[in-house]
């Protein structure tokens, strides 16, 4: 799937796609425009089907988990 196909499938902008995947717009912009990462493709397809985009933990959650584990 291309980046443009993902944007079209979800009827959103590049920044909205990033928000839906809980990543930064810069991260999406760095994707190869002709082939997005396979996990991201699966997440986009899940979102298009109305399912949650599971598979990766957002960075903010990882930071929070590490901080809490050090208390």
């Amino acid at each position: 799937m291309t980046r443009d196909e993902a944007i079209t499938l979800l009827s959103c902008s590049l920044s909205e796609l990033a928000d839906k995947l809980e990543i930064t717009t810069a991260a999406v912009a760095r994707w190869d425009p002709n082939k997005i990462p396979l996990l991201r493709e699966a997440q986009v397809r899940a979102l298009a089907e109305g399912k949650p985009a599971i598979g990766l933990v957002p960075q903010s959650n990882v930071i929070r988990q590490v901080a809490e584990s050090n208390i």
Side-chain angles (χ1 to χ4, degrees):
M1 172 182 294
T2 69
R3 190 171 55 202
D4 286 343
E5 288 171 338
I7 289 168
T8 300
L9 186 61
L10 295 179
S11 301
C12 63
S13 67
L14 187 94
S15 62
E16 291 169 332
L17 176 61
D19 287 343
K20 290 175 186 283
L21 296 174
E22 298 183 30
I23 59 176
T24 65
T25 303
V28 176
R30 284 192 301 266
W31 291 350
D32 178 346
N34 298 312
K35 182 67 177 148
I36 69 172
L38 291 176
L39 177 60
R40 296 304 184 184
E41 180 176 344
Q43 290 175 318
V44 167
R45 291 187 188 283
L47 288 170
E49 294 173 6
K51 299 175 184 173
I54 59 172
L56 292 180
V57 178
Q59 184 178 3
S60 60
N61 289 345
V62 172
I63 292 168
R64 187 177 318 112
Q65 289 170 357
V66 169
E68 289 172 356
S69 69
N70 291 330
I71 295 177

PDB file of all heavy atoms in Angstrom, residues 24-64:
ATOM      1  N   THR A  24       3.775  10.625  15.053  1.00  0.00           N
ATOM      2  CA  THR A  24       3.963  11.999  14.596  1.00  0.00           C
ATOM      3  C   THR A  24       3.785  12.100  13.077  1.00  0.00           C
ATOM      4  O   THR A  24       3.979  11.121  12.345  1.00  0.00           O
ATOM      5  CB  THR A  24       5.360  12.526  14.954  1.00  0.00           C
ATOM      6  OG1 THR A  24       6.347  11.771  14.235  1.00  0.00           O
ATOM      7  CG2 THR A  24       5.620  12.447  16.452  1.00  0.00           C
ATOM      8  N   THR A  25       3.421  13.294  12.648  1.00  0.00           N
ATOM      9  CA  THR A  25       3.319  13.553  11.217  1.00  0.00           C
ATOM     10  C   THR A  25       4.677  13.358  10.548  1.00  0.00           C
ATOM     11  O   THR A  25       4.755  12.847   9.430  1.00  0.00           O
ATOM     12  CB  THR A  25       2.800  14.988  10.972  1.00  0.00           C
ATOM     13  OG1 THR A  25       1.535  15.126  11.631  1.00  0.00           O
ATOM     14  CG2 THR A  25       2.634  15.282   9.496  1.00  0.00           C
ATOM     15  N   ALA A  26       5.747  13.729  11.253  1.00  0.00           N
ATOM     16  CA  ALA A  26       7.099  13.549  10.704  1.00  0.00           C
ATOM     17  C   ALA A  26       7.392  12.073  10.438  1.00  0.00           C
ATOM     18  O   ALA A  26       8.034  11.738   9.436  1.00  0.00           O
ATOM     19  CB  ALA A  26       8.140  14.132  11.656  1.00  0.00           C
ATOM     20  N   ALA A  27       6.911  11.190  11.311  1.00  0.00           N
ATOM     21  CA  ALA A  27       7.139   9.757  11.109  1.00  0.00           C
ATOM     22  C   ALA A  27       6.444   9.277   9.838  1.00  0.00           C
ATOM     23  O   ALA A  27       7.030   8.540   9.043  1.00  0.00           O
ATOM     24  CB  ALA A  27       6.648   8.966  12.310  1.00  0.00           C
ATOM     25  N   VAL A  28       5.215   9.717   9.631  1.00  0.00           N
ATOM     26  CA  VAL A  28       4.486   9.328   8.417  1.00  0.00           C
ATOM     27  C   VAL A  28       5.163   9.916   7.182  1.00  0.00           C
ATOM     28  O   VAL A  28       5.286   9.253   6.155  1.00  0.00           O
ATOM     29  CB  VAL A  28       3.006   9.777   8.504  1.00  0.00           C
ATOM     30  CG1 VAL A  28       2.266   9.474   7.201  1.00  0.00           C
ATOM     31  CG2 VAL A  28       2.308   9.106   9.676  1.00  0.00           C
ATOM     32  N   ALA A  29       5.636  11.134   7.290  1.00  0.00           N
ATOM     33  CA  ALA A  29       6.301  11.789   6.160  1.00  0.00           C
ATOM     34  C   ALA A  29       7.586  11.072   5.756  1.00  0.00           C
ATOM     35  O   ALA A  29       7.995  11.132   4.595  1.00  0.00           O
ATOM     36  CB  ALA A  29       6.588  13.250   6.500  1.00  0.00           C
ATOM     37  N   ARG A  30       8.215  10.364   6.695  1.00  0.00           N
ATOM     38  CA  ARG A  30       9.453   9.639   6.392  1.00  0.00           C
ATOM     39  C   ARG A  30       9.208   8.289   5.723  1.00  0.00           C
ATOM     40  O   ARG A  30      10.134   7.671   5.219  1.00  0.00           O
ATOM     41  CB  ARG A  30      10.276   9.426   7.670  1.00  0.00           C
ATOM     42  CG  ARG A  30      10.982  10.669   8.137  1.00  0.00           C
ATOM     43  CD  ARG A  30      12.010  10.366   9.215  1.00  0.00           C
ATOM     44  NE  ARG A  30      11.432   9.739  10.393  1.00  0.00           N
ATOM     45  CZ  ARG A  30      11.021  10.381  11.498  1.00  0.00           C
ATOM     46  NH1 ARG A  30      11.142  11.685  11.554  1.00  0.00           N
ATOM     47  NH2 ARG A  30      10.525   9.734  12.507  1.00  0.00           N
ATOM     48  N   TRP A  31       7.969   7.821   5.727  1.00  0.00           N
ATOM     49  CA  TRP A  31       7.680   6.558   5.054  1.00  0.00           C
ATOM     50  C   TRP A  31       8.006   6.657   3.575  1.00  0.00           C
ATOM     51  O   TRP A  31       7.852   7.707   2.959  1.00  0.00           O
ATOM     52  CB  TRP A  31       6.200   6.218   5.153  1.00  0.00           C
ATOM     53  CG  TRP A  31       5.681   5.858   6.499  1.00  0.00           C
ATOM     54  CD1 TRP A  31       6.391   5.617   7.643  1.00  0.00           C
ATOM     55  CD2 TRP A  31       4.308   5.708   6.850  1.00  0.00           C
ATOM     56  NE1 TRP A  31       5.536   5.324   8.673  1.00  0.00           N
ATOM     57  CE2 TRP A  31       4.253   5.370   8.216  1.00  0.00           C
ATOM     58  CE3 TRP A  31       3.125   5.833   6.149  1.00  0.00           C
ATOM     59  CZ2 TRP A  31       3.060   5.143   8.873  1.00  0.00           C
ATOM     60  CZ3 TRP A  31       1.930   5.614   6.807  1.00  0.00           C
ATOM     61  CH2 TRP A  31       1.906   5.260   8.153  1.00  0.00           C
ATOM     62  N   ASP A  32       8.409   5.532   2.998  1.00  0.00           N
ATOM     63  CA  ASP A  32       8.559   5.456   1.550  1.00  0.00           C
ATOM     64  C   ASP A  32       7.174   5.702   0.957  1.00  0.00           C
ATOM     65  O   ASP A  32       6.224   4.988   1.292  1.00  0.00           O
ATOM     66  CB  ASP A  32       9.060   4.058   1.168  1.00  0.00           C
ATOM     67  CG  ASP A  32       9.213   3.856  -0.321  1.00  0.00           C
ATOM     68  OD1 ASP A  32       8.702   4.661  -1.127  1.00  0.00           O
ATOM     69  OD2 ASP A  32       9.851   2.844  -0.690  1.00  0.00           O
ATOM     70  N   PRO A  33       7.007   6.725   0.120  1.00  0.00           N
ATOM     71  CA  PRO A  33       5.674   7.026  -0.403  1.00  0.00           C
ATOM     72  C   PRO A  33       5.080   5.890  -1.235  1.00  0.00           C
ATOM     73  O   PRO A  33       3.867   5.808  -1.410  1.00  0.00           O
ATOM     74  CB  PRO A  33       5.868   8.269  -1.263  1.00  0.00           C
ATOM     75  CG  PRO A  33       7.295   8.636  -1.202  1.00  0.00           C
ATOM     76  CD  PRO A  33       8.021   7.654  -0.343  1.00  0.00           C
ATOM     77  N   ASN A  34       5.926   4.991  -1.734  1.00  0.00           N
ATOM     78  CA  ASN A  34       5.452   3.907  -2.584  1.00  0.00           C
ATOM     79  C   ASN A  34       5.150   2.613  -1.845  1.00  0.00           C
ATOM     80  O   ASN A  34       4.558   1.704  -2.415  1.00  0.00           O
ATOM     81  CB  ASN A  34       6.471   3.625  -3.686  1.00  0.00           C
ATOM     82  CG  ASN A  34       6.652   4.825  -4.578  1.00  0.00           C
ATOM     83  OD1 ASN A  34       5.679   5.419  -5.019  1.00  0.00           O
ATOM     84  ND2 ASN A  34       7.884   5.225  -4.805  1.00  0.00           N
ATOM     85  N   LYS A  35       5.558   2.515  -0.562  1.00  0.00           N
ATOM     86  CA  LYS A  35       5.304   1.287   0.206  1.00  0.00           C
ATOM     87  C   LYS A  35       5.431   1.601   1.687  1.00  0.00           C
ATOM     88  O   LYS A  35       6.525   1.796   2.197  1.00  0.00           O
ATOM     89  CB  LYS A  35       6.308   0.193  -0.185  1.00  0.00           C
ATOM     90  CG  LYS A  35       6.092  -1.131   0.530  1.00  0.00           C
ATOM     91  CD  LYS A  35       4.802  -1.773   0.099  1.00  0.00           C
ATOM     92  CE  LYS A  35       4.636  -3.137   0.768  1.00  0.00           C
ATOM     93  NZ  LYS A  35       3.256  -3.464   1.018  1.00  0.00           N
ATOM     94  N   ILE A  36       4.285   1.650   2.387  1.00  0.00           N
ATOM     95  CA  ILE A  36       4.328   1.950   3.815  1.00  0.00           C
ATOM     96  C   ILE A  36       4.719   0.685   4.580  1.00  0.00           C
ATOM     97  O   ILE A  36       4.592  -0.430   4.058  1.00  0.00           O
ATOM     98  CB  ILE A  36       2.992   2.539   4.314  1.00  0.00           C
ATOM     99  CG1 ILE A  36       1.865   1.512   4.302  1.00  0.00           C
ATOM    100  CG2 ILE A  36       2.616   3.768   3.511  1.00  0.00           C
ATOM    101  CD1 ILE A  36       0.584   1.992   4.960  1.00  0.00           C
ATOM    102  N   PRO A  37       5.208   0.820   5.805  1.00  0.00           N
ATOM    103  CA  PRO A  37       5.572  -0.360   6.596  1.00  0.00           C
ATOM    104  C   PRO A  37       4.377  -1.313   6.745  1.00  0.00           C
ATOM    105  O   PRO A  37       3.223  -0.886   6.870  1.00  0.00           O
ATOM    106  CB  PRO A  37       5.973   0.239   7.946  1.00  0.00           C
ATOM    107  CG  PRO A  37       6.404   1.636   7.629  1.00  0.00           C
ATOM    108  CD  PRO A  37       5.502   2.070   6.510  1.00  0.00           C
ATOM    109  N   LEU A  38       4.661  -2.615   6.736  1.00  0.00           N
ATOM    110  CA  LEU A  38       3.600  -3.622   6.756  1.00  0.00           C
ATOM    111  C   LEU A  38       2.699  -3.530   7.981  1.00  0.00           C
ATOM    112  O   LEU A  38       1.481  -3.683   7.874  1.00  0.00           O
ATOM    113  CB  LEU A  38       4.197  -5.020   6.639  1.00  0.00           C
ATOM    114  CG  LEU A  38       4.814  -5.358   5.286  1.00  0.00           C
ATOM    115  CD1 LEU A  38       5.456  -6.740   5.317  1.00  0.00           C
ATOM    116  CD2 LEU A  38       3.763  -5.285   4.194  1.00  0.00           C
ATOM    117  N   LEU A  39       3.274  -3.285   9.152  1.00  0.00           N
ATOM    118  CA  LEU A  39       2.439  -3.158  10.341  1.00  0.00           C
ATOM    119  C   LEU A  39       1.509  -1.962  10.206  1.00  0.00           C
ATOM    120  O   LEU A  39       0.329  -2.030  10.559  1.00  0.00           O
ATOM    121  CB  LEU A  39       3.289  -3.024  11.607  1.00  0.00           C
ATOM    122  CG  LEU A  39       2.491  -2.819  12.896  1.00  0.00           C
ATOM    123  CD1 LEU A  39       1.542  -3.979  13.164  1.00  0.00           C
ATOM    124  CD2 LEU A  39       3.421  -2.632  14.070  1.00  0.00           C
ATOM    125  N   ARG A  40       2.014  -0.861   9.677  1.00  0.00           N
ATOM    126  CA  ARG A  40       1.184   0.329   9.492  1.00  0.00           C
ATOM    127  C   ARG A  40       0.081   0.051   8.470  1.00  0.00           C
ATOM    128  O   ARG A  40      -1.057   0.503   8.624  1.00  0.00           O
ATOM    129  CB  ARG A  40       2.030   1.527   9.076  1.00  0.00           C
ATOM    130  CG  ARG A  40       3.027   1.952  10.126  1.00  0.00           C
ATOM    131  CD  ARG A  40       2.366   2.242  11.438  1.00  0.00           C
ATOM    132  NE  ARG A  40       3.337   2.743  12.405  1.00  0.00           N
ATOM    133  CZ  ARG A  40       3.047   3.003  13.655  1.00  0.00           C
ATOM    134  NH1 ARG A  40       1.836   2.805  14.113  1.00  0.00           N
ATOM    135  NH2 ARG A  40       3.972   3.447  14.473  1.00  0.00           N
ATOM    136  N   GLU A  41       0.407  -0.713   7.435  1.00  0.00           N
ATOM    137  CA  GLU A  41      -0.621  -1.072   6.455  1.00  0.00           C
ATOM    138  C   GLU A  41      -1.735  -1.871   7.132  1.00  0.00           C
ATOM    139  O   GLU A  41      -2.918  -1.621   6.904  1.00  0.00           O
ATOM    140  CB  GLU A  41      -0.012  -1.883   5.317  1.00  0.00           C
ATOM    141  CG  GLU A  41      -1.029  -2.284   4.268  1.00  0.00           C
ATOM    142  CD  GLU A  41      -0.437  -3.016   3.077  1.00  0.00           C
ATOM    143  OE1 GLU A  41       0.795  -2.971   2.879  1.00  0.00           O
ATOM    144  OE2 GLU A  41      -1.226  -3.625   2.331  1.00  0.00           O
ATOM    145  N   ALA A  42      -1.365  -2.817   7.973  1.00  0.00           N
ATOM    146  CA  ALA A  42      -2.363  -3.608   8.694  1.00  0.00           C
ATOM    147  C   ALA A  42      -3.210  -2.718   9.593  1.00  0.00           C
ATOM    148  O   ALA A  42      -4.426  -2.905   9.695  1.00  0.00           O
ATOM    149  CB  ALA A  42      -1.668  -4.699   9.507  1.00  0.00           C
ATOM    150  N   GLN A  43      -2.571  -1.750  10.237  1.00  0.00           N
ATOM    151  CA  GLN A  43      -3.312  -0.830  11.101  1.00  0.00           C
ATOM    152  C   GLN A  43      -4.268   0.037  10.291  1.00  0.00           C
ATOM    153  O   GLN A  43      -5.407   0.271  10.712  1.00  0.00           O
ATOM    154  CB  GLN A  43      -2.339   0.037  11.902  1.00  0.00           C
ATOM    155  CG  GLN A  43      -1.587  -0.745  12.953  1.00  0.00           C
ATOM    156  CD  GLN A  43      -0.545   0.087  13.653  1.00  0.00           C
ATOM    157  OE1 GLN A  43       0.173   0.865  13.026  1.00  0.00           O
ATOM    158  NE2 GLN A  43      -0.452  -0.063  14.960  1.00  0.00           N
ATOM    159  N   VAL A  44      -3.831   0.510   9.145  1.00  0.00           N
ATOM    160  CA  VAL A  44      -4.688   1.325   8.287  1.00  0.00           C
ATOM    161  C   VAL A  44      -5.887   0.498   7.834  1.00  0.00           C
ATOM    162  O   VAL A  44      -7.038   0.963   7.874  1.00  0.00           O
ATOM    163  CB  VAL A  44      -3.900   1.868   7.070  1.00  0.00           C
ATOM    164  CG1 VAL A  44      -4.830   2.437   6.007  1.00  0.00           C
ATOM    165  CG2 VAL A  44      -2.890   2.918   7.519  1.00  0.00           C
ATOM    166  N   ARG A  45      -5.647  -0.740   7.427  1.00  0.00           N
ATOM    167  CA  ARG A  45      -6.746  -1.605   6.978  1.00  0.00           C
ATOM    168  C   ARG A  45      -7.729  -1.866   8.132  1.00  0.00           C
ATOM    169  O   ARG A  45      -8.945  -1.881   7.928  1.00  0.00           O
ATOM    170  CB  ARG A  45      -6.209  -2.903   6.409  1.00  0.00           C
ATOM    171  CG  ARG A  45      -5.476  -2.698   5.088  1.00  0.00           C
ATOM    172  CD  ARG A  45      -5.080  -4.006   4.412  1.00  0.00           C
ATOM    173  NE  ARG A  45      -4.236  -3.784   3.265  1.00  0.00           N
ATOM    174  CZ  ARG A  45      -4.651  -3.367   2.078  1.00  0.00           C
ATOM    175  NH1 ARG A  45      -5.924  -3.102   1.892  1.00  0.00           N
ATOM    176  NH2 ARG A  45      -3.802  -3.202   1.080  1.00  0.00           N
ATOM    177  N   ALA A  46      -7.197  -2.068   9.339  1.00  0.00           N
ATOM    178  CA  ALA A  46      -8.067  -2.283  10.500  1.00  0.00           C
ATOM    179  C   ALA A  46      -8.922  -1.043  10.758  1.00  0.00           C
ATOM    180  O   ALA A  46     -10.138  -1.152  10.976  1.00  0.00           O
ATOM    181  CB  ALA A  46      -7.224  -2.623  11.732  1.00  0.00           C
ATOM    182  N   LEU A  47      -8.314   0.127  10.717  1.00  0.00           N
ATOM    183  CA  LEU A  47      -9.065   1.371  10.921  1.00  0.00           C
ATOM    184  C   LEU A  47     -10.146   1.540   9.854  1.00  0.00           C
ATOM    185  O   LEU A  47     -11.258   1.973  10.154  1.00  0.00           O
ATOM    186  CB  LEU A  47      -8.125   2.576  10.915  1.00  0.00           C
ATOM    187  CG  LEU A  47      -7.226   2.726  12.140  1.00  0.00           C
ATOM    188  CD1 LEU A  47      -6.185   3.810  11.902  1.00  0.00           C
ATOM    189  CD2 LEU A  47      -8.046   3.028  13.386  1.00  0.00           C
ATOM    190  N   ALA A  48      -9.825   1.181   8.617  1.00  0.00           N
ATOM    191  CA  ALA A  48     -10.791   1.294   7.523  1.00  0.00           C
ATOM    192  C   ALA A  48     -11.992   0.373   7.752  1.00  0.00           C
ATOM    193  O   ALA A  48     -13.100   0.670   7.311  1.00  0.00           O
ATOM    194  CB  ALA A  48     -10.120   0.977   6.189  1.00  0.00           C
ATOM    195  N   GLU A  49     -11.769  -0.727   8.464  1.00  0.00           N
ATOM    196  CA  GLU A  49     -12.842  -1.677   8.774  1.00  0.00           C
ATOM    197  C   GLU A  49     -13.557  -1.331  10.086  1.00  0.00           C
ATOM    198  O   GLU A  49     -14.413  -2.083  10.543  1.00  0.00           O
ATOM    199  CB  GLU A  49     -12.273  -3.093   8.861  1.00  0.00           C
ATOM    200  CG  GLU A  49     -11.751  -3.613   7.546  1.00  0.00           C
ATOM    201  CD  GLU A  49     -11.029  -4.950   7.666  1.00  0.00           C
ATOM    202  OE1 GLU A  49     -11.031  -5.542   8.780  1.00  0.00           O
ATOM    203  OE2 GLU A  49     -10.461  -5.409   6.663  1.00  0.00           O
ATOM    204  N   GLY A  50     -13.157  -0.223  10.706  1.00  0.00           N
ATOM    205  CA  GLY A  50     -13.780   0.197  11.942  1.00  0.00           C
ATOM    206  C   GLY A  50     -13.237  -0.499  13.176  1.00  0.00           C
ATOM    207  O   GLY A  50     -13.829  -0.432  14.250  1.00  0.00           O
ATOM    208  N   LYS A  51     -12.093  -1.153  13.033  1.00  0.00           N
ATOM    209  CA  LYS A  51     -11.452  -1.853  14.145  1.00  0.00           C
ATOM    210  C   LYS A  51     -10.335  -0.981  14.713  1.00  0.00           C
ATOM    211  O   LYS A  51      -9.850  -0.074  14.045  1.00  0.00           O
ATOM    212  CB  LYS A  51     -10.868  -3.179  13.659  1.00  0.00           C
ATOM    213  CG  LYS A  51     -11.896  -4.133  13.091  1.00  0.00           C
ATOM    214  CD  LYS A  51     -11.226  -5.365  12.529  1.00  0.00           C
ATOM    215  CE  LYS A  51     -12.245  -6.282  11.870  1.00  0.00           C
ATOM    216  NZ  LYS A  51     -11.587  -7.403  11.188  1.00  0.00           N
ATOM    217  N   PRO A  52      -9.883  -1.267  15.935  1.00  0.00           N
ATOM    218  CA  PRO A  52      -8.756  -0.502  16.494  1.00  0.00           C
ATOM    219  C   PRO A  52      -7.447  -0.842  15.775  1.00  0.00           C
ATOM    220  O   PRO A  52      -7.270  -1.960  15.293  1.00  0.00           O
ATOM    221  CB  PRO A  52      -8.703  -0.919  17.960  1.00  0.00           C
ATOM    222  CG  PRO A  52      -9.456  -2.203  18.034  1.00  0.00           C
ATOM    223  CD  PRO A  52     -10.424  -2.221  16.896  1.00  0.00           C
ATOM    224  N   ALA A  53      -6.568   0.137  15.702  1.00  0.00           N
ATOM    225  CA  ALA A  53      -5.247  -0.056  15.082  1.00  0.00           C
ATOM    226  C   ALA A  53      -4.296  -0.587  16.139  1.00  0.00           C
ATOM    227  O   ALA A  53      -3.591   0.176  16.790  1.00  0.00           O
ATOM    228  CB  ALA A  53      -4.731   1.244  14.486  1.00  0.00           C
ATOM    229  N   ILE A  54      -4.286  -1.891  16.346  1.00  0.00           N
ATOM    230  CA  ILE A  54      -3.449  -2.485  17.383  1.00  0.00           C
ATOM    231  C   ILE A  54      -2.096  -2.864  16.816  1.00  0.00           C
ATOM    232  O   ILE A  54      -1.914  -2.933  15.608  1.00  0.00           O
ATOM    233  CB  ILE A  54      -4.129  -3.716  18.014  1.00  0.00           C
ATOM    234  CG1 ILE A  54      -4.408  -4.780  16.950  1.00  0.00           C
ATOM    235  CG2 ILE A  54      -5.398  -3.316  18.716  1.00  0.00           C
ATOM    236  CD1 ILE A  54      -4.886  -6.092  17.506  1.00  0.00           C
ATOM    237  N   GLY A  55      -1.129  -3.110  17.694  1.00  0.00           N
ATOM    238  CA  GLY A  55       0.155  -3.592  17.227  1.00  0.00           C
ATOM    239  C   GLY A  55       1.337  -2.882  17.826  1.00  0.00           C
ATOM    240  O   GLY A  55       2.337  -3.494  18.104  1.00  0.00           O
ATOM    241  N   LEU A  56       1.228  -1.589  18.012  1.00  0.00           N
ATOM    242  CA  LEU A  56       2.317  -0.824  18.590  1.00  0.00           C
ATOM    243  C   LEU A  56       1.801  -0.007  19.756  1.00  0.00           C
ATOM    244  O   LEU A  56       0.672   0.448  19.760  1.00  0.00           O
ATOM    245  CB  LEU A  56       2.944   0.127  17.562  1.00  0.00           C
ATOM    246  CG  LEU A  56       3.717  -0.497  16.420  1.00  0.00           C
ATOM    247  CD1 LEU A  56       4.244   0.602  15.517  1.00  0.00           C
ATOM    248  CD2 LEU A  56       4.847  -1.351  16.920  1.00  0.00           C
ATOM    249  N   VAL A  57       2.639   0.185  20.746  1.00  0.00           N
ATOM    250  CA  VAL A  57       2.299   1.022  21.887  1.00  0.00           C
ATOM    251  C   VAL A  57       2.781   2.436  21.577  1.00  0.00           C
ATOM    252  O   VAL A  57       3.936   2.623  21.214  1.00  0.00           O
ATOM    253  CB  VAL A  57       2.990   0.502  23.169  1.00  0.00           C
ATOM    254  CG1 VAL A  57       2.688   1.397  24.353  1.00  0.00           C
ATOM    255  CG2 VAL A  57       2.577  -0.928  23.442  1.00  0.00           C
ATOM    256  N   PRO A  58       1.883   3.438  21.677  1.00  0.00           N
ATOM    257  CA  PRO A  58       2.331   4.810  21.426  1.00  0.00           C
ATOM    258  C   PRO A  58       3.497   5.178  22.343  1.00  0.00           C
ATOM    259  O   PRO A  58       3.565   4.732  23.482  1.00  0.00           O
ATOM    260  CB  PRO A  58       1.100   5.657  21.755  1.00  0.00           C
ATOM    261  CG  PRO A  58      -0.054   4.727  21.640  1.00  0.00           C
ATOM    262  CD  PRO A  58       0.477   3.370  22.025  1.00  0.00           C
ATOM    263  N   GLN A  59       4.416   5.973  21.828  1.00  0.00           N
ATOM    264  CA  GLN A  59       5.616   6.338  22.570  1.00  0.00           C
ATOM    265  C   GLN A  59       5.286   6.951  23.925  1.00  0.00           C
ATOM    266  O   GLN A  59       5.949   6.671  24.914  1.00  0.00           O
ATOM    267  CB  GLN A  59       6.465   7.305  21.754  1.00  0.00           C
ATOM    268  CG  GLN A  59       7.775   7.646  22.430  1.00  0.00           C
ATOM    269  CD  GLN A  59       8.630   8.564  21.591  1.00  0.00           C
ATOM    270  OE1 GLN A  59       8.237   8.999  20.530  1.00  0.00           O
ATOM    271  NE2 GLN A  59       9.804   8.852  22.058  1.00  0.00           N
ATOM    272  N   SER A  60       4.241   7.758  24.012  1.00  0.00           N
ATOM    273  CA  SER A  60       3.889   8.384  25.286  1.00  0.00           C
ATOM    274  C   SER A  60       3.556   7.335  26.336  1.00  0.00           C
ATOM    275  O   SER A  60       3.876   7.494  27.505  1.00  0.00           O
ATOM    276  CB  SER A  60       2.722   9.348  25.111  1.00  0.00           C
ATOM    277  OG  SER A  60       1.582   8.658  24.623  1.00  0.00           O
ATOM    278  N   ASN A  61       2.925   6.236  25.930  1.00  0.00           N
ATOM    279  CA  ASN A  61       2.609   5.153  26.867  1.00  0.00           C
ATOM    280  C   ASN A  61       3.867   4.434  27.327  1.00  0.00           C
ATOM    281  O   ASN A  61       3.966   4.031  28.478  1.00  0.00           O
ATOM    282  CB  ASN A  61       1.638   4.157  26.250  1.00  0.00           C
ATOM    283  CG  ASN A  61       0.247   4.723  26.094  1.00  0.00           C
ATOM    284  OD1 ASN A  61      -0.081   5.747  26.672  1.00  0.00           O
ATOM    285  ND2 ASN A  61      -0.572   4.056  25.315  1.00  0.00           N
ATOM    286  N   VAL A  62       4.823   4.251  26.437  1.00  0.00           N
ATOM    287  CA  VAL A  62       6.077   3.595  26.795  1.00  0.00           C
ATOM    288  C   VAL A  62       6.822   4.432  27.822  1.00  0.00           C
ATOM    289  O   VAL A  62       7.298   3.921  28.838  1.00  0.00           O
ATOM    290  CB  VAL A  62       6.961   3.352  25.546  1.00  0.00           C
ATOM    291  CG1 VAL A  62       8.339   2.851  25.946  1.00  0.00           C
ATOM    292  CG2 VAL A  62       6.290   2.381  24.596  1.00  0.00           C
ATOM    293  N   ILE A  63       6.899   5.727  27.590  1.00  0.00           N
ATOM    294  CA  ILE A  63       7.586   6.627  28.520  1.00  0.00           C
ATOM    295  C   ILE A  63       6.899   6.590  29.882  1.00  0.00           C
ATOM    296  O   ILE A  63       7.555   6.507  30.913  1.00  0.00           O
ATOM    297  CB  ILE A  63       7.637   8.064  27.948  1.00  0.00           C
ATOM    298  CG1 ILE A  63       8.545   8.090  26.721  1.00  0.00           C
ATOM    299  CG2 ILE A  63       8.105   9.058  29.007  1.00  0.00           C
ATOM    300  CD1 ILE A  63       8.464   9.360  25.915  1.00  0.00           C
ATOM    301  N   ARG A  64       5.566   6.618  29.874  1.00  0.00           N
ATOM    302  CA  ARG A  64       4.811   6.577  31.121  1.00  0.00           C
ATOM    303  C   ARG A  64       5.068   5.259  31.861  1.00  0.00           C
ATOM    304  O   ARG A  64       5.284   5.238  33.058  1.00  0.00           O
ATOM    305  CB  ARG A  64       3.319   6.738  30.847  1.00  0.00           C
ATOM    306  CG  ARG A  64       2.492   6.864  32.115  1.00  0.00           C
ATOM    307  CD  ARG A  64       0.996   7.094  31.856  1.00  0.00           C
ATOM    308  NE  ARG A  64       0.713   8.041  30.785  1.00  0.00           N
ATOM    309  CZ  ARG A  64       0.160   7.709  29.610  1.00  0.00           C
ATOM    310  NH1 ARG A  64      -0.183   6.484  29.356  1.00  0.00           N
ATOM    311  NH2 ARG A  64      -0.068   8.624  28.698  1.00  0.00           N
TER     312      ARG A  64
END
